[in-house]
């Protein structure tokens, strides 16, 4: 996208604010998390950036008969996928409409215990801007499901 870094940063901060306001996560020290899981069990995050918003997704591991440890991420389709569907609809004359289920995943309680995720850099920047500092590494304990969790979909 042809957007300034500042604009993209602001969209990401807005997403973190929404998740925080909804009670999606609780910040805990890495030391506390490592008493419950191993470091490799702490999930990575992934930003899915669109023109009008950014979504934070948790990179879940696929399961149920698929390769062990294989990673999956946000189920949001790529922009080119949407564009191909629109083109197909135009060529064939088929009607098309779209819906956006706002906050579909973050409203669902996390179904597994001890789901931890490394927070994005923007969260640390928000803390510093608000005068909050942590002397230890922090992770998020997920309270509700996040985009990208197979249990959330």
């Amino acid at each position: 996208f042809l957007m300034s870094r500042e604009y993209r940063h602001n969209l990401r901060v807005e997403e973190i604010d929404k998740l925080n306001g909804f009670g999606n996560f609780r910040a805990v020290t890495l030391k506390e998390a490592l008493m419950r899981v191993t470091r490799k069990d702490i999930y990575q995050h992934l930003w899915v950036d669109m023109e009008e918003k950014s979504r934070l997704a948790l990179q879940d591991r696929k399961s149920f008969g698929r390769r062990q440890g294989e990673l999956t991420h946000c189920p949001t389709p790529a922009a080119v996928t949407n564009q191909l569907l629109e083109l197909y609809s135009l060529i064939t004359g088929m009607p098309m409409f779209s819906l956006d289920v706002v906050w579909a995943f973050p409203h669902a309680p996390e179904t597994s215990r001890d789901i931890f995720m490394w927070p994005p850099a923007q969260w640390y920047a928000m803390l510093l801007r608000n005068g909050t500092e942590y002397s230890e590494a922090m992770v998020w304990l997920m309270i509700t499901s996040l985009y990208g969790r197979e249990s959330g979909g």
Side-chain angles (χ1 to χ4, degrees):
F1 299 113
L2 300 175
M3 296 178 201
S4 70
R5 277 189 177 168
E6 181 181 354
Y7 181 72
R8 177 63 53 215
H9 174 81
N10 290 340
L11 290 177
R12 289 177 174 186
V13 166
E14 184 178 303
E15 172 76 352
I16 294 169
D17 276 340
K18 287 179 187 176
L19 293 172
N20 188 38
F22 188 69
N24 186 260
F25 62 89
R26 182 170 57 88
V28 299
T29 64
L30 177 59
K31 184 187 293 184
E32 181 182 340
L34 292 176
M35 292 190 307
R36 297 160 70 176
V37 298
T38 64
R39 185 179 284 267
K40 70 178 180 65
D41 292 323
I42 300 173
Y43 292 95
Q44 298 294 324
H45 67 272
L46 175 74
W47 281 108
V48 179
D49 295 317
M50 296 164 267
E51 287 185 42
E52 68 284 350
K53 61 186 168 186
S54 290
R55 289 274 167 95
L56 185 61
L58 181 144
Q59 287 188 315
D60 200 351
R61 292 175 182 84
K62 291 183 178 180
S63 57
F64 308 116
R66 292 177 238 161
R67 289 184 290 200
Q68 189 70 11
E70 184 179 5
L71 291 178
T72 183
H73 55 83
C74 186
T76 304
V80 70
T81 303
N82 290 332
Q83 291 167 352
L84 287 171
L85 284 171
E86 290 171 0
L87 178 63
Y88 180 78
S89 178
L90 285 170
I91 290 171
T92 62
M94 295 181 76
M96 187 170 174
F97 62 93
S98 64
L99 302 170
D100 185 15
V101 180
V102 180
W103 294 102
F105 291 93
H107 282 296
E110 179 54 58
T111 58
S112 301
R113 288 177 41 125
D114 299 336
I115 300 297
F116 295 94
M117 183 179 82
W118 295 104
Q122 292 82 3
W123 180 71
Y124 289 107
M126 290 169 64
L127 293 179
L128 291 174
R129 186 183 71 226
N130 294 331
T132 305
E133 290 189 47
Y134 288 101
S135 58
E136 295 185 57
M138 301 298 290
V139 295
W140 288 355
L141 171 62
M142 304 312 298
I143 307 300
T144 63
S145 198
L146 191 62
Y147 302 99
R149 285 282 290 151
E150 289 191 354
S151 63

